[in-house]
Amino acid sequence: MSWRRKMESEIAPAISSEQRMGQAGAQTASGGEGFHLNGLVHKLKSGELALGAWVQVGDYVGARAIGDSTADFAILDMEHHGFSFPDLGLTLQWMLNRRTAAAVPAVATPIVRIPPNGAELNQWVAKQTLDYGPFGILAPHVTHRAQIESAVSSMRYPSGPSDSGPAGVRGALPMHAMRYWGVTDISDYFDRADLWPLNPSGDLMLTVLVESVTAWENIDELVSVPGLGAIIWGPGDGSMALGIRNYDIGDPRLTPYREKVIAACKSAGVAVGSPAAVDPFAAIDEGFDFLMLPHWDEDLAARLRRHTESR
C-alpha cells in the first residue's frame, strides 16, 4: 500500500466520524420538541434567571470573549457607535467557537439592538438583520402598541390562511441565517424562525425598550400585543425624560415607573429585563427575569445565579 493510500485509510474514519457528529448536531438543532436554540427563550421558558451582556457591533474581542463564556444571551448593539451590516456579520462569526458551535441552546445567543426608534417603523432593518442569523431583535424607544405590531409583522414570515396570529411580511431568503443556526432543512428553519411565545416552538424573540414616560404610561397596552417576547426597562434615556441630567439610573424619581413596568409585565405574563442596575442582586429581588451586564463578568454571573437559587 502506498503511503498516500495508507494515510487516506487512516484519516478517512476520523473525518467521517467528525462529519457524522456535525450532521447529528445539525439534525438535533433543526428538529424535535421540548428544546430551544435560543438561550434566552430557554431560560425564560424554564423560569430561570437569564444573564447576558452588551457587545458593540464591531468589537470582535468582546464578541470572542462572550462567545467563550457561560452567558445565556448577548445584546449586539447597532443603535450607537455606528450601523454596519458587514460588521454585524463579522461580530456574529467572532462569537462562534468550534468547540461549542453545535451547543443547544446556542451559547450567548445573539440578539441585535437595531438603530430605528419604534415610531420610525423601519421594517427593512429588522428583515436584513435577521437574515444575518441572530435570534432576535431589540427595538429601542417603543411607546405605542402599533409600533410593536409593526415589529412583530417585520419578524414573521407570511404563514398562510390557517395562521391566526399577526400577519408576517418578512421576505424569505434565509440561507445565511440557516447556516448560522445550524439548520439544514429550510422547512425546519421556517418553523423555528417564528416569535416566542406566540409560537411555543419559536426561536425568535422580539424585545422592546420602554424608556420614556409615554412608554411607561402605556405599558398595559404594550404588553398586550401578541408576538411580544419581553419588555426591557430603560432607565437611561428614561431618566432624561424626567429631567435627570446626570445619568443616575438609581434616582428615586424612576422608582414608581420601574415598579409599574414590572407589575404590568408580571400581570400579563410577559418577561421583563433590565439593561443596567445599580444593584443587580436587588434587581433580581425586585422581579426582573433577565439582566444584561455592561460587560460580561463570569464571577458576578456565578454569584447572581447562586443568589437566585437561594431565594
Side-chain angles (χ1 to χ4, degrees), residues 50-105:
L51 294 175
W54 294 90
V55 176
Q56 178 62 45
V57 166
D59 177 4
Y60 307 137
V61 174
R64 183 176 60 191
I66 201 164
D68 290 339
S69 76
T70 64
D72 302 305
F73 67 98
I75 303 294
L76 307 187
D77 192 10
M78 285 207 300
E79 183 185 12
H80 299 290
H81 307 297
F83 170 55
S84 167
F85 282 123
D87 280 348
L88 172 61
L90 289 172
T91 304
L92 288 166
Q93 292 301 317
W94 272 106
M95 291 179 67
L96 295 178
N97 184 324
R98 289 183 66 183
R99 290 175 296 179
T100 57
V104 176

Side-chain angles (χ1 to χ4, degrees), residues 234-270:
D237 288 355
S239 65
M240 298 285 288
L242 293 177
I244 303 168
R245 299 297 182 180
N246 60 357
Y247 213 77
D248 181 5
I249 61 173
D251 190 290
R253 284 173 284 180
L254 289 164
T255 302
Y257 293 107
R258 185 176 67 250
E259 292 174 345
K260 176 182 175 69
V261 167
I262 294 173
C265 290
K266 297 299 182 186
S267 178
V270 173

Side-chain angles (χ1 to χ4, degrees), residues 10-201:
E10 291 175 350
I11 292 176
I15 294 176
S16 176
S17 175
E18 292 298 324
Q19 289 174 335
R20 284 196 298 271
M21 289 174 64
Q23 291 167 358
Q27 291 166 358
T28 300
S30 63
E33 298 179 355
F35 74 93
H36 283 277
L37 303 176
N38 188 320
L40 179 55
V41 168
H42 172 76
K43 283 298 181 77
L44 294 177
K45 190 172 182 178
S46 63
E48 300 177 58
L49 173 70
L51 294 175
W54 294 90
V55 176
Q56 178 62 45
V57 166
D59 177 4
Y60 307 137
V61 174
R64 183 176 60 191
I66 201 164
D68 290 339
S69 76
T70 64
D72 302 305
F73 67 98
I75 303 294
L76 307 187
D77 192 10
M78 285 207 300
E79 183 185 12
H80 299 290
H81 307 297
F83 170 55
S84 167
F85 282 123
D87 280 348
L88 172 61
L90 289 172
T91 304
L92 288 166
Q93 292 301 317
W94 272 106
M95 291 179 67
L96 295 178
N97 184 324
R98 289 183 66 183
R99 290 175 296 179
T100 57
V104 176
V107 176
T109 302
I111 294 172
V112 177
R113 178 162 73 169
I114 58 177
N117 293 340
E120 297 178 64
L121 304 179
N122 279 335
Q123 294 184 326
W124 71 270
V125 176
K127 173 176 64 178
Q128 293 208 2
T129 298
L130 292 178
D131 282 349
Y132 274 83
F135 289 80
I137 295 291
L138 170 55
H141 285 286
V142 167
T143 55
H144 292 84
R145 178 186 181 92
Q147 298 167 12
I148 298 181
E149 291 174 337
S150 176
V152 168
S153 180
S154 74
M155 294 179 67
R156 300 195 78 200
Y157 287 112
S159 300
S162 63
D163 182 36
S164 60
V169 297
R170 181 182 172 189
L173 194 65
M175 285 61 183
H176 294 305
M178 287 175 59
R179 181 180 183 276
Y180 196 80
W181 283 28
V183 174
T184 57
D185 188 299
I186 194 167
S187 62
D188 289 338
Y189 178 78
F190 285 142
D191 288 341
R192 286 200 168 272
D194 199 5
L195 291 171
W196 179 88
L198 178 68
N199 179 343
S201 298

